[in-house]
Amino acid sequence: MATDFFQDPPRLANQYDDDSLLRSYLRWRLPREVLAEIEPALRQLGGRAVSDLLALDAAAEASPPRHVPYDAWGRRVDDIVVSEAWRALDRVAAEEGLVAIGYERQQGALSRVDQFARLYLYAPSSATYSCPLAMTDGAARLLELYPDAVTRPVFERLTSRDPRRFWTSGQWMTERTGGSDVSGTSTVAVRSGDQFRLSGAKWFTSATTSQIAVTLAQLREGKGLSVFLVQLRDSEGALNGIRVNRLKEKLGTRALPTAELTLDGTPAHLIGGEGDGVKKISALFNVTRVYNAVAAVAGMRRAIALARDYAGRRVAFEKPLSEHPLHVETLASMELEWRAGFLLAFQVVELLGRQECGTATADELAMLRVLIPVAKLYTAKQAVAVASEALECFGGAGYIEDTGLPRLLRDAQVLSIWEGTTNVLSLDVLRAMEKTSGFESFRQDARRRLDMIRGKPLGTAVDTVRHAIQGVEEFAERIKRQGREFAEPRARGFAYAIARVAAALLLIEHADWSLALGDDDATVWAKRWCERDLVASIEQGEGPVPSPILIG
């Protein structure tokens, strides 16, 4: 007898309690007293991520920003109207200290771990409010490094926990010529009394409802490309010489206001003196790229949580998907990518915290210069592949907009584009090798850490990583001998190889720690990751890859 059938949608549990890797990582890396202090807030945020924040996320996505160019009487106002849900996500970010924690530094260098663990829980339920937070944090770090009488009160607002005082920052780098080649910046700065006036076009500006923005401009008379702080509105609430040409229609991140602007005599404050704009702005990019990596692994985790829950509910061929060996294998391959990406992203978080607190060694500082672009580019690619695989786990439902699932893929795709594309960052890794000892520090550090592994079940994995390090070293020597013409076409594959080796080492270290506690689950993941050829991508040049999950 035929019966009606309705698919049961996936459900999410508390995202802190349900995330065994996050909890294990924090036990591994944090002193017991630090974890005891921060864990209640993490658990509370994990609950909010599937309750009120998830509701705000859906409401903000359903009510994207609108551009109102004129008021009822024909005056140019260029208002960008956002939903109440978007404003509420801003208030939550301030109250939870999602920027402030990194600068209060109550846990010293480990404050960044605390902060990014919270961001990791918040981001997938934030309608991409993590983007304004990334730029705000990057701006705060820039202003912390280059303080003056004008920037100090702005810094205090960017790092406030009070929603009434909290400001966010935009980041206006992209012009019609493109975003990564900032040397082509055509915006001009002209001195006007004790400040400057900016004129030019900004083609892609995210978080355009923020109170301030950081931008680059060429000094008409002076030392060239420089960094400027712009306060968007005057005391009357009118835009300061800024015209909003239009809001961008994007594939994803639809709740996030992204605009095309014209600057026409916009007042601006010079940050850190004239010139060296690219060097100074790198402090901001370091932070935003770490945010990108953490948002990528957070997105992977959310996709996997949904797919795993659904696998226990969806019955096909007379049994749940969770009992079909091939589906279980697919979920496992997704989880492996997330675990590797998670540990890689949070290694960079740890190094960033030490850098900012002055406790990093010279080798750690050099490694950070290499690992930030590596972590950003690799986790972004992983996030797109995992999101695509997750949609397939839901069959047709994964392709239907009102399930909310297609957002996983639409929102993931931008992660490999903003803050530097895969190719741009791969070339940046080559620059880091040329200008710093970062690769040499990475190589020596990896060998030293492998020598400290004691778990016998990890012996084969350790040997695999030793061999992989040798392969990466040999390729680095070829770069030195044959130069950029040889290296550039292979830069992406080389960066991927570094990422895989770094992730392998972290998986092994985590497994070794877990084995000492009598837990061999992490060993399974470490051994599985090391079954692949970690450096095959170098000579293959990687090329167009449909899914990092499926490559060696």
Side-chain angles (χ1 to χ4, degrees):
M1 179 177 177
T3 59
D4 290 335
F5 171 77
F6 297 96
Q7 293 187 30
D8 196 12
R11 295 178 175 84
L12 293 169
N14 181 299
Q15 290 298 281
Y16 179 75
D17 289 333
D18 194 49
D19 193 332
S20 61
L21 177 60
L22 173 62
R23 290 184 286 107
S24 178
Y25 165 77
L26 294 175
R27 289 197 303 274
W28 176 36
R29 305 307 294 169
L30 298 181
R32 184 176 301 177
E33 62 275 13
V34 172
L35 180 58
E37 184 176 339
I38 70 173
E39 191 168 44
L42 290 169
R43 179 166 286 112
Q44 182 182 37
L45 188 56
R48 296 191 71 180
V50 298
S51 56
D52 63 314
L53 291 185
L54 197 59
L56 292 173
D57 170 90
E61 181 77 4
S63 182
R66 294 182 295 107
H67 175 212
V68 180
Y70 300 98
D71 70 10
W73 304 100
R75 297 182 183 87
R76 185 92 193 202
V77 291
D78 279 328
D79 282 338
I80 298 175
V81 180
V82 297
S83 66
E84 174 54 36
W86 184 255
R87 290 191 291 270
L89 288 164
D90 174 85
R91 293 193 293 272
V92 171
E95 292 163 352
E96 292 286 346
L98 294 182
V99 175
I101 289 170
Y103 296 90
E104 294 166 348
R105 299 193 174 107
Q106 292 184 6
Q107 310 297 345
L110 294 173
S111 297
R112 280 296 195 184
V113 175
D114 177 13
Q115 176 198 7
F116 277 96
R118 298 184 199 218
L119 176 82
Y120 170 82
L121 295 169
Y122 170 90
S125 298
S126 74
T128 324
Y129 207 85
S130 52
C131 171
L133 297 182
M135 294 183 288
T136 301
D137 198 334
R141 180 57 180 159
L142 181 69
L143 299 187
E144 184 178 48
L145 290 171
Y146 301 101
D148 60 39
V150 172
T151 62
R152 284 190 188 93
V154 175
F155 172 82
E156 291 173 2
R157 283 186 173 273
L158 298 177
T159 57
S160 175
R161 286 177 178 261
D162 183 350
R164 296 166 299 179
R165 289 185 46 78
F166 180 58
W167 279 4
T168 57
S169 176
Q171 177 180 308
W172 299 353
M173 307 299 165
T174 305
E175 300 193 354
R176 294 190 185 101
T177 54
S180 297
D181 184 8
V182 296
S183 63
T185 296
S186 59
T187 299
V188 174
V190 177
R191 188 177 293 277
S192 175
D194 60 354
Q195 61 180 196
F196 290 81
R197 297 277 177 176
L198 307 185
S199 298
K202 298 296 182 182
W203 190 78
F204 192 98
T205 64
S206 288
T208 322
T209 51
S210 293
Q211 290 84 0
I212 67 158
V214 173
T215 190
L216 290 169
Q218 298 281 358
L219 288 170
R220 179 170 288 175
E221 296 177 2
K223 297 180 180 179
L225 195 63
S226 302
V227 185
F228 292 89
L229 174 69
V230 174
Q231 191 162 326
L232 273 68
R233 295 182 181 272
D234 62 22
S235 58
E236 302 298 319
L239 286 170
N240 277 322
I242 300 168
R243 184 168 67 252
V244 180
N245 301 326
R246 58 173 172 162
L247 289 181
K248 298 291 194 180
E249 290 192 35
K250 300 165 293 178
L251 173 67
T253 65
R254 293 177 178 173
L256 172 67
T258 304
E260 183 178 323
L261 306 177
T262 296
L263 308 183
D264 185 10
T266 305
H269 175 73
L270 182 66
I271 298 175
E274 295 184 7
D276 291 329
V278 175
K279 180 180 178 181
K280 290 169 186 168
I281 208 73
S282 65
L284 184 154
F285 288 152
N286 281 345
V287 173
T288 56
R289 285 169 179 169
V290 175
Y291 266 79
N292 203 96
V294 173
V297 295
M300 285 189 264
R301 159 64 190 162
R302 176 59 56 88
I304 292 166
L306 290 166
R308 281 204 175 278
D309 183 80
Y310 186 70
R313 300 175 185 279
R314 175 74 166 103
V315 175
F317 305 104
E318 300 182 346
K319 58 183 178 181
L321 293 178
S322 59
E323 296 179 14
H324 288 272
L326 182 55
H327 193 76
V328 172
E329 172 63 23
T330 300
L331 292 172
S333 70
M334 294 163 61
E335 182 162 345
L336 180 62
E337 293 295 322
W338 157 63
R339 285 174 170 268
F342 176 96
L343 293 175
L344 180 59
F346 273 86
Q347 181 189 23
V348 174
V349 168
E350 290 183 46
L351 290 173
L352 181 69
R354 290 178 211 155
Q355 178 202 49
E356 294 174 344
C357 288
T359 59
T361 66
D363 282 338
E364 287 174 332
L365 293 175
M367 280 198 311
L368 185 62
R369 174 65 182 87
V370 171
L371 289 179
I372 282 180
V374 164
K376 188 278 181 186
L377 71 87
Y378 194 70
T379 56
K381 282 295 192 187
Q382 287 176 304
V384 176
V386 168
S388 179
E389 199 73 65
L391 263 60
E392 199 171 333
C393 290
F394 290 91
Y399 202 66
I400 304 302
E401 283 288 353
D402 60 6
T403 65
L405 296 168
R407 273 188 61 196
L408 295 172
L409 183 56
R410 289 192 284 103
D411 289 352
Q413 186 61 66
V414 77
L415 296 169
S416 61
I417 296 173
W418 60 21
E419 307 307 328
T421 64
T422 306
N423 284 354
V424 165
L425 293 178
S426 297
L427 295 175
D428 189 46
V429 174
L430 295 185
R431 281 192 296 275
M433 287 181 60
E434 293 168 351
K435 296 181 178 181
T436 74
S437 62
F439 177 76
E440 179 65 18
S441 297
F442 167 76
R443 179 186 70 80
Q444 292 180 356
D445 180 70
R447 290 190 177 280
R448 177 187 61 78
R449 287 156 59 193
L450 281 176
D451 289 341
M452 298 175 67
I453 301 301
R454 295 291 176 261
K456 290 184 178 180
L458 296 166
T460 301
V462 168
D463 290 341
T464 297
V465 177
R466 288 193 196 280
H467 179 73
I469 293 170
Q470 182 178 346
V472 174
E473 290 170 339
E474 290 171 356
F475 187 79
E477 287 301 317
R478 291 179 67 187
I479 291 176
K480 291 179 183 178
R481 293 195 306 270
Q482 301 182 48
R484 295 280 293 200
E485 187 173 343
F486 165 80
E488 284 198 13
R490 299 165 177 84
R492 179 187 286 219
F494 182 58
Y496 281 12
I498 294 174
R500 292 194 182 103
V501 170
L505 179 56
L506 290 161
L507 286 162
I508 288 171
E509 288 181 313
H510 180 229
D512 196 45
W513 172 81
S514 299
L515 280 172
L517 299 178
D519 180 4
D520 62 359
D521 182 62
T523 298
V524 175
W525 295 110
K527 291 168 71 173
R528 178 169 176 144
W529 183 263
C530 293
E531 286 172 358
R532 63 181 67 188
D533 187 337
L534 300 175
V535 296
S537 62
I538 297 179
E539 287 301 338
Q540 294 170 358
E542 207 60 44
V545 179
S547 169
I549 293 175
L550 303 178
I551 59 181

